[in-house]
Amino acid sequence: MKNYKYNELAYAELIYNKGFQTKHVPTELRLLALYYRDVLGYKPKEREEKIYKFCKNNIPNFKKEKFFKPINKALRVASDKKQKFIIIKKIDIFKTELDYINNLDIQYEYKKVMFAFLVQIKLNKIVCEYKYDKEYNSIYFKGGTKKYNNIKKMANIPVKMSINDEVINKLEELKLITILFKGAILLDYINNCIQSEDIVFTITDFENVRLYLDYYNKVKGVKKCDGSCGVIIKIKNNKQKYCNECAEKINIQKTIDNRKNKTV
Ligand SMILES: [Zn+2]
């Protein structure tokens, strides 16, 4: 499944059209309730009716007693005006931030991890400021297997390279970070990543973050999609011009145009 963490509206739409997508039913019910409110404009009573109907249609052997709690919670969330969809379309990376990481005298794989953390901290900042409506400037990374695996995926370092035993320890040795407890760390170096005027690129694909660093460093086989999306891609051969999504759109358009030409 595509990562919808930073585009909850698209995720909600998918749930509405195709039913539950994961086992995280409470989360998905919350998004569905917000979708009823913000997209379809349903009033509270109608939201309640629709959400029960949806559950009956989409949960085998649905029993009200069993889902009463998460449904009520989702409806309560939708009644709270402060609750909104999280939608992050882009993250700006400044030349000074990138140059700081890029110019460090360390292995390239470590730079990819540092860059992934920088993007993650920027995402956290947007989410927190959106949710709590006050400025957020933390360099704290909570840790946990899932969060570290996510960073590893964003950075795309070799599978056999241990992010905790190798990368994190090395970065602490270099005094770039501080290890706290239970995998939590302070990303001290982020304070050296100063924002300037000069945006070097805008990240829209939060999963393949390291490609942006590769593109900046002119790594072979990495280029910007020729379509309108501006996403950085790893090409399979020299002829490839577009990312999968743009290629698909262009193919569909070509088919439509061909048909039109035939009928004229
Ligand atoms: Zn594209």
mmCIF file of all heavy atoms in Angstrom, residues 16-17 29 31-54 74-75 77-81 85:
data_model
loop_
_atom_site.group_PDB
_atom_site.id
_atom_site.type_symbol
_atom_site.label_atom_id
_atom_site.label_comp_id
_atom_site.label_asym_id
_atom_site.label_seq_id
_atom_site.Cartn_x
_atom_site.Cartn_y
_atom_site.Cartn_z
ATOM 1 N N TYR A 16 -13.270 5.430 1.905
ATOM 2 C CA TYR A 16 -14.672 5.687 1.543
ATOM 3 C C TYR A 16 -15.073 4.891 0.297
ATOM 4 O O TYR A 16 -16.144 4.300 0.245
ATOM 5 C CB TYR A 16 -14.857 7.191 1.298
ATOM 6 C CG TYR A 16 -16.238 7.549 0.809
ATOM 7 C CD1 TYR A 16 -17.336 7.517 1.667
ATOM 8 C CD2 TYR A 16 -16.450 7.904 -0.523
ATOM 9 C CE1 TYR A 16 -18.609 7.834 1.213
ATOM 10 C CE2 TYR A 16 -17.722 8.225 -0.983
ATOM 11 C CZ TYR A 16 -18.795 8.187 -0.114
ATOM 12 O OH TYR A 16 -20.060 8.488 -0.563
ATOM 13 N N ASN A 17 -14.184 4.860 -0.688
ATOM 14 C CA ASN A 17 -14.519 4.187 -1.943
ATOM 15 C C ASN A 17 -14.327 2.684 -1.910
ATOM 16 O O ASN A 17 -15.050 1.951 -2.556
ATOM 17 C CB ASN A 17 -13.684 4.766 -3.093
ATOM 18 C CG ASN A 17 -14.156 6.147 -3.478
ATOM 19 O OD1 ASN A 17 -15.357 6.410 -3.495
ATOM 20 N ND2 ASN A 17 -13.227 7.039 -3.756
ATOM 21 N N LEU A 29 -11.626 4.722 10.851
ATOM 22 C CA LEU A 29 -12.958 5.266 11.165
ATOM 23 C C LEU A 29 -12.886 6.768 11.428
ATOM 24 O O LEU A 29 -13.762 7.526 11.026
ATOM 25 C CB LEU A 29 -13.544 4.553 12.390
ATOM 26 C CG LEU A 29 -14.113 3.157 12.150
ATOM 27 C CD1 LEU A 29 -14.526 2.530 13.480
ATOM 28 C CD2 LEU A 29 -15.298 3.171 11.190
ATOM 29 N N LEU A 31 -10.729 8.847 10.119
ATOM 30 C CA LEU A 31 -10.568 9.528 8.834
ATOM 31 C C LEU A 31 -11.878 9.545 8.050
ATOM 32 O O LEU A 31 -12.217 10.535 7.409
ATOM 33 C CB LEU A 31 -9.460 8.851 8.014
ATOM 34 C CG LEU A 31 -8.062 8.947 8.627
ATOM 35 C CD1 LEU A 31 -7.053 8.164 7.801
ATOM 36 C CD2 LEU A 31 -7.609 10.392 8.734
ATOM 37 N N LEU A 32 -12.610 8.455 8.146
ATOM 38 C CA LEU A 32 -13.898 8.371 7.453
ATOM 39 C C LEU A 32 -14.882 9.413 7.998
ATOM 40 O O LEU A 32 -15.569 10.092 7.244
ATOM 41 C CB LEU A 32 -14.469 6.961 7.616
ATOM 42 C CG LEU A 32 -15.721 6.628 6.826
ATOM 43 C CD1 LEU A 32 -15.439 6.630 5.322
ATOM 44 C CD2 LEU A 32 -16.275 5.270 7.238
ATOM 45 N N ALA A 33 -14.898 9.551 9.332
ATOM 46 C CA ALA A 33 -15.795 10.528 9.959
ATOM 47 C C ALA A 33 -15.439 11.949 9.514
ATOM 48 O O ALA A 33 -16.314 12.764 9.238
ATOM 49 C CB ALA A 33 -15.722 10.399 11.478
ATOM 50 N N LEU A 34 -14.128 12.237 9.414
ATOM 51 C CA LEU A 34 -13.700 13.560 8.940
ATOM 52 C C LEU A 34 -14.075 13.760 7.467
ATOM 53 O O LEU A 34 -14.427 14.857 7.047
ATOM 54 C CB LEU A 34 -12.180 13.728 9.109
ATOM 55 C CG LEU A 34 -11.659 13.927 10.530
ATOM 56 C CD1 LEU A 34 -10.136 13.982 10.532
ATOM 57 C CD2 LEU A 34 -12.202 15.208 11.156
ATOM 58 N N TYR A 35 -14.009 12.691 6.720
ATOM 59 C CA TYR A 35 -14.382 12.748 5.296
ATOM 60 C C TYR A 35 -15.877 13.065 5.155
ATOM 61 O O TYR A 35 -16.268 13.895 4.340
ATOM 62 C CB TYR A 35 -14.048 11.405 4.640
ATOM 63 C CG TYR A 35 -14.155 11.411 3.134
ATOM 64 C CD1 TYR A 35 -13.115 11.913 2.349
ATOM 65 C CD2 TYR A 35 -15.285 10.924 2.489
ATOM 66 C CE1 TYR A 35 -13.203 11.924 0.966
ATOM 67 C CE2 TYR A 35 -15.388 10.926 1.104
ATOM 68 C CZ TYR A 35 -14.336 11.425 0.344
ATOM 69 O OH TYR A 35 -14.425 11.437 -1.023
ATOM 70 N N TYR A 36 -16.684 12.427 5.960
ATOM 71 C CA TYR A 36 -18.124 12.702 5.962
ATOM 72 C C TYR A 36 -18.384 14.184 6.265
ATOM 73 O O TYR A 36 -19.216 14.811 5.650
ATOM 74 C CB TYR A 36 -18.831 11.860 7.031
ATOM 75 C CG TYR A 36 -18.995 10.391 6.691
ATOM 76 C CD1 TYR A 36 -19.220 9.452 7.692
ATOM 77 C CD2 TYR A 36 -18.946 9.943 5.369
ATOM 78 C CE1 TYR A 36 -19.397 8.107 7.391
ATOM 79 C CE2 TYR A 36 -19.110 8.604 5.068
ATOM 80 C CZ TYR A 36 -19.334 7.682 6.083
ATOM 81 O OH TYR A 36 -19.503 6.369 5.787
ATOM 82 N N ARG A 37 -17.627 14.694 7.229
ATOM 83 C CA ARG A 37 -17.833 16.079 7.643
ATOM 84 C C ARG A 37 -17.296 17.085 6.606
ATOM 85 O O ARG A 37 -18.024 17.964 6.156
ATOM 86 C CB ARG A 37 -17.128 16.323 8.991
ATOM 87 C CG ARG A 37 -17.355 17.718 9.559
ATOM 88 C CD ARG A 37 -16.432 18.014 10.727
ATOM 89 N NE ARG A 37 -15.057 18.250 10.281
ATOM 90 C CZ ARG A 37 -14.031 18.419 11.110
ATOM 91 N NH1 ARG A 37 -14.208 18.353 12.411
ATOM 92 N NH2 ARG A 37 -12.825 18.633 10.645
ATOM 93 N N ASP A 38 -16.008 16.911 6.217
ATOM 94 C CA ASP A 38 -15.347 17.955 5.426
ATOM 95 C C ASP A 38 -15.568 17.834 3.922
ATOM 96 O O ASP A 38 -15.544 18.832 3.213
ATOM 97 C CB ASP A 38 -13.840 17.952 5.713
ATOM 98 C CG ASP A 38 -13.556 18.423 7.134
ATOM 99 O OD1 ASP A 38 -14.512 18.868 7.794
ATOM 100 O OD2 ASP A 38 -12.399 18.342 7.568
ATOM 101 N N VAL A 39 -15.727 16.624 3.432
ATOM 102 C CA VAL A 39 -15.877 16.458 1.982
ATOM 103 C C VAL A 39 -17.354 16.341 1.605
ATOM 104 O O VAL A 39 -17.818 16.987 0.681
ATOM 105 C CB VAL A 39 -15.070 15.236 1.471
ATOM 106 C CG1 VAL A 39 -15.258 15.052 -0.028
ATOM 107 C CG2 VAL A 39 -13.591 15.405 1.811
ATOM 108 N N LEU A 40 -18.086 15.539 2.357
ATOM 109 C CA LEU A 40 -19.487 15.305 1.992
ATOM 110 C C LEU A 40 -20.458 16.235 2.729
ATOM 111 O O LEU A 40 -21.636 16.283 2.395
ATOM 112 C CB LEU A 40 -19.849 13.838 2.241
ATOM 113 C CG LEU A 40 -18.962 12.837 1.476
ATOM 114 C CD1 LEU A 40 -19.294 11.406 1.858
ATOM 115 C CD2 LEU A 40 -19.096 13.004 -0.033
ATOM 116 N N GLY A 41 -19.949 16.940 3.728
ATOM 117 C CA GLY A 41 -20.769 17.927 4.433
ATOM 118 C C GLY A 41 -21.893 17.336 5.269
ATOM 119 O O GLY A 41 -22.910 17.995 5.501
ATOM 120 N N TYR A 42 -21.749 16.097 5.732
ATOM 121 C CA TYR A 42 -22.791 15.469 6.556
ATOM 122 C C TYR A 42 -22.846 16.094 7.952
ATOM 123 O O TYR A 42 -21.819 16.366 8.569
ATOM 124 C CB TYR A 42 -22.531 13.964 6.727
ATOM 125 C CG TYR A 42 -22.660 13.146 5.474
ATOM 126 C CD1 TYR A 42 -22.108 11.861 5.419
ATOM 127 C CD2 TYR A 42 -23.327 13.623 4.349
ATOM 128 C CE1 TYR A 42 -22.218 11.076 4.275
ATOM 129 C CE2 TYR A 42 -23.438 12.844 3.201
ATOM 130 C CZ TYR A 42 -22.882 11.585 3.169
ATOM 131 O OH TYR A 42 -22.982 10.817 2.051
ATOM 132 N N LYS A 43 -24.040 16.257 8.459
ATOM 133 C CA LYS A 43 -24.235 16.759 9.823
ATOM 134 C C LYS A 43 -24.091 15.576 10.801
ATOM 135 O O LYS A 43 -24.138 14.419 10.383
ATOM 136 C CB LYS A 43 -25.625 17.388 9.937
ATOM 137 C CG LYS A 43 -25.805 18.620 9.052
ATOM 138 C CD LYS A 43 -25.192 19.863 9.703
ATOM 139 C CE LYS A 43 -25.224 21.075 8.800
ATOM 140 N NZ LYS A 43 -24.045 21.225 7.942
ATOM 141 N N PRO A 44 -23.926 15.875 12.124
ATOM 142 C CA PRO A 44 -23.640 14.803 13.095
ATOM 143 C C PRO A 44 -24.553 13.569 13.005
ATOM 144 O O PRO A 44 -24.079 12.442 12.985
ATOM 145 C CB PRO A 44 -23.796 15.511 14.439
ATOM 146 C CG PRO A 44 -23.449 16.917 14.144
ATOM 147 C CD PRO A 44 -23.912 17.188 12.756
ATOM 148 N N LYS A 45 -25.844 13.783 12.942
ATOM 149 C CA LYS A 45 -26.790 12.663 12.922
ATOM 150 C C LYS A 45 -26.549 11.773 11.690
ATOM 151 O O LYS A 45 -26.530 10.554 11.772
ATOM 152 C CB LYS A 45 -28.227 13.235 12.899
ATOM 153 C CG LYS A 45 -29.295 12.220 13.158
ATOM 154 C CD LYS A 45 -29.557 12.036 14.657
ATOM 155 C CE LYS A 45 -30.302 10.732 14.875
ATOM 156 N NZ LYS A 45 -29.601 9.747 15.648
ATOM 157 N N GLU A 46 -26.335 12.452 10.581
ATOM 158 C CA GLU A 46 -26.121 11.738 9.320
ATOM 159 C C GLU A 46 -24.790 10.973 9.351
ATOM 160 O O GLU A 46 -24.689 9.858 8.854
ATOM 161 C CB GLU A 46 -26.117 12.756 8.185
ATOM 162 C CG GLU A 46 -26.454 12.142 6.844
ATOM 163 C CD GLU A 46 -26.597 13.206 5.764
ATOM 164 O OE1 GLU A 46 -26.352 14.399 6.044
ATOM 165 O OE2 GLU A 46 -26.957 12.832 4.635
ATOM 166 N N ARG A 47 -23.792 11.591 9.984
ATOM 167 C CA ARG A 47 -22.485 10.933 10.092
ATOM 168 C C ARG A 47 -22.633 9.629 10.852
ATOM 169 O O ARG A 47 -22.069 8.608 10.475
ATOM 170 C CB ARG A 47 -21.478 11.845 10.811
ATOM 171 C CG ARG A 47 -21.074 13.080 10.022
ATOM 172 C CD ARG A 47 -19.760 13.645 10.496
ATOM 173 N NE ARG A 47 -19.809 14.299 11.803
ATOM 174 C CZ ARG A 47 -20.013 15.616 11.974
ATOM 175 N NH1 ARG A 47 -20.188 16.415 10.942
ATOM 176 N NH2 ARG A 47 -20.017 16.131 13.184
ATOM 177 N N GLU A 48 -23.411 9.684 11.923
ATOM 178 C CA GLU A 48 -23.604 8.490 12.744
ATOM 179 C C GLU A 48 -24.282 7.377 11.927
ATOM 180 O O GLU A 48 -23.837 6.239 11.923
ATOM 181 C CB GLU A 48 -24.439 8.840 13.979
ATOM 182 C CG GLU A 48 -24.463 7.720 14.997
ATOM 183 C CD GLU A 48 -25.223 8.103 16.261
ATOM 184 O OE1 GLU A 48 -25.427 9.302 16.513
ATOM 185 O OE2 GLU A 48 -25.612 7.177 16.985
ATOM 186 N N GLU A 49 -25.347 7.755 11.238
ATOM 187 C CA GLU A 49 -26.044 6.762 10.404
ATOM 188 C C GLU A 49 -25.120 6.145 9.372
ATOM 189 O O GLU A 49 -25.054 4.932 9.211
ATOM 190 C CB GLU A 49 -27.202 7.451 9.661
ATOM 191 C CG GLU A 49 -28.441 7.662 10.505
ATOM 192 C CD GLU A 49 -29.399 8.645 9.831
ATOM 193 O OE1 GLU A 49 -29.365 8.764 8.577
ATOM 194 O OE2 GLU A 49 -30.151 9.298 10.564
ATOM 195 N N LYS A 50 -24.386 7.009 8.691
ATOM 196 C CA LYS A 50 -23.530 6.544 7.583
ATOM 197 C C LYS A 50 -22.385 5.677 8.082
ATOM 198 O O LYS A 50 -22.008 4.710 7.427
ATOM 199 C CB LYS A 50 -22.962 7.733 6.815
ATOM 200 C CG LYS A 50 -24.010 8.573 6.143
ATOM 201 C CD LYS A 50 -24.483 7.967 4.832
ATOM 202 C CE LYS A 50 -25.484 8.895 4.164
ATOM 203 N NZ LYS A 50 -26.133 8.313 2.998
ATOM 204 N N ILE A 51 -21.832 6.035 9.222
ATOM 205 C CA ILE A 51 -20.672 5.273 9.700
ATOM 206 C C ILE A 51 -21.113 3.852 10.119
ATOM 207 O O ILE A 51 -20.416 2.877 9.849
ATOM 208 C CB ILE A 51 -19.916 6.036 10.820
ATOM 209 C CG1 ILE A 51 -18.429 5.655 10.805
ATOM 210 C CG2 ILE A 51 -20.488 5.771 12.207
ATOM 211 C CD1 ILE A 51 -17.529 6.603 11.561
ATOM 212 N N TYR A 52 -22.300 3.738 10.717
ATOM 213 C CA TYR A 52 -22.805 2.407 11.068
ATOM 214 C C TYR A 52 -23.108 1.598 9.812
ATOM 215 O O TYR A 52 -22.808 0.408 9.731
ATOM 216 C CB TYR A 52 -24.046 2.508 11.974
ATOM 217 C CG TYR A 52 -23.657 2.604 13.432
ATOM 218 C CD1 TYR A 52 -23.755 3.800 14.140
ATOM 219 C CD2 TYR A 52 -23.152 1.485 14.102
ATOM 220 C CE1 TYR A 52 -23.361 3.890 15.462
ATOM 221 C CE2 TYR A 52 -22.759 1.566 15.427
ATOM 222 C CZ TYR A 52 -22.863 2.773 16.110
ATOM 223 O OH TYR A 52 -22.463 2.854 17.417
ATOM 224 N N LYS A 53 -23.672 2.256 8.832
ATOM 225 C CA LYS A 53 -23.988 1.592 7.567
ATOM 226 C C LYS A 53 -22.695 1.097 6.908
ATOM 227 O O LYS A 53 -22.618 -0.040 6.428
ATOM 228 C CB LYS A 53 -24.720 2.579 6.650
ATOM 229 C CG LYS A 53 -25.513 1.887 5.575
ATOM 230 C CD LYS A 53 -26.362 2.872 4.790
ATOM 231 C CE LYS A 53 -26.832 2.220 3.507
ATOM 232 N NZ LYS A 53 -27.114 3.210 2.467
ATOM 233 N N PHE A 54 -21.695 1.961 6.940
ATOM 234 C CA PHE A 54 -20.403 1.618 6.337
ATOM 235 C C PHE A 54 -19.808 0.382 7.020
ATOM 236 O O PHE A 54 -19.325 -0.534 6.369
ATOM 237 C CB PHE A 54 -19.448 2.809 6.466
ATOM 238 C CG PHE A 54 -18.115 2.598 5.806
ATOM 239 C CD1 PHE A 54 -17.911 2.953 4.482
ATOM 240 C CD2 PHE A 54 -17.053 2.041 6.523
ATOM 241 C CE1 PHE A 54 -16.681 2.751 3.870
ATOM 242 C CE2 PHE A 54 -15.821 1.842 5.920
ATOM 243 C CZ PHE A 54 -15.635 2.197 4.586
ATOM 244 N N ALA A 74 -14.577 8.094 16.851
ATOM 245 C CA ALA A 74 -14.443 8.719 15.529
ATOM 246 C C ALA A 74 -15.463 9.845 15.362
ATOM 247 O O ALA A 74 -15.136 10.928 14.862
ATOM 248 C CB ALA A 74 -14.618 7.676 14.439
ATOM 249 N N LEU A 75 -16.673 9.606 15.835
ATOM 250 C CA LEU A 75 -17.721 10.629 15.720
ATOM 251 C C LEU A 75 -17.403 11.842 16.593
ATOM 252 O O LEU A 75 -17.655 12.975 16.215
ATOM 253 C CB LEU A 75 -19.081 10.032 16.100
ATOM 254 C CG LEU A 75 -19.633 8.984 15.121
ATOM 255 C CD1 LEU A 75 -20.872 8.296 15.691
ATOM 256 C CD2 LEU A 75 -19.965 9.606 13.767
ATOM 257 N N VAL A 77 -14.376 12.847 17.361
ATOM 258 C CA VAL A 77 -13.296 13.569 16.670
ATOM 259 C C VAL A 77 -13.890 14.495 15.611
ATOM 260 O O VAL A 77 -13.520 15.661 15.501
ATOM 261 C CB VAL A 77 -12.292 12.571 16.036
ATOM 262 C CG1 VAL A 77 -11.394 13.253 15.024
ATOM 263 C CG2 VAL A 77 -11.440 11.911 17.121
ATOM 264 N N ALA A 78 -14.858 13.964 14.859
ATOM 265 C CA ALA A 78 -15.462 14.767 13.779
ATOM 266 C C ALA A 78 -16.279 15.937 14.330
ATOM 267 O O ALA A 78 -16.531 16.904 13.626
ATOM 268 C CB ALA A 78 -16.322 13.874 12.889
ATOM 269 N N SER A 79 -16.670 15.851 15.592
ATOM 270 C CA SER A 79 -17.419 16.968 16.190
ATOM 271 C C SER A 79 -16.489 18.064 16.698
ATOM 272 O O SER A 79 -16.934 19.142 17.073
ATOM 273 C CB SER A 79 -18.261 16.469 17.363
ATOM 274 O OG SER A 79 -19.170 15.518 16.898
ATOM 275 N N ASP A 80 -15.210 17.753 16.720
ATOM 276 C CA ASP A 80 -14.225 18.719 17.198
ATOM 277 C C ASP A 80 -13.662 19.485 15.989
ATOM 278 O O ASP A 80 -12.987 18.914 15.143
ATOM 279 C CB ASP A 80 -13.109 17.954 17.931
ATOM 280 C CG ASP A 80 -12.025 18.874 18.466
ATOM 281 O OD1 ASP A 80 -12.068 20.093 18.165
ATOM 282 O OD2 ASP A 80 -11.128 18.379 19.167
ATOM 283 N N LYS A 81 -13.956 20.771 15.946
ATOM 284 C CA LYS A 81 -13.564 21.579 14.782
ATOM 285 C C LYS A 81 -12.057 21.667 14.596
ATOM 286 O O LYS A 81 -11.560 21.906 13.505
ATOM 287 C CB LYS A 81 -14.147 22.993 14.911
ATOM 288 C CG LYS A 81 -15.611 23.049 14.552
ATOM 289 C CD LYS A 81 -16.039 24.469 14.198
ATOM 290 C CE LYS A 81 -17.516 24.545 13.911
ATOM 291 N NZ LYS A 81 -18.316 25.067 15.028
ATOM 292 N N PHE A 85 -7.706 16.992 8.589
ATOM 293 C CA PHE A 85 -6.832 16.068 7.873
ATOM 294 C C PHE A 85 -5.412 16.602 7.859
ATOM 295 O O PHE A 85 -5.210 17.818 7.712
ATOM 296 C CB PHE A 85 -7.260 15.948 6.405
ATOM 297 C CG PHE A 85 -8.483 15.116 6.188
ATOM 298 C CD1 PHE A 85 -9.577 15.636 5.523
ATOM 299 C CD2 PHE A 85 -8.531 13.809 6.628
ATOM 300 C CE1 PHE A 85 -10.705 14.870 5.304
ATOM 301 C CE2 PHE A 85 -9.663 13.044 6.410
ATOM 302 C CZ PHE A 85 -10.752 13.567 5.754
#
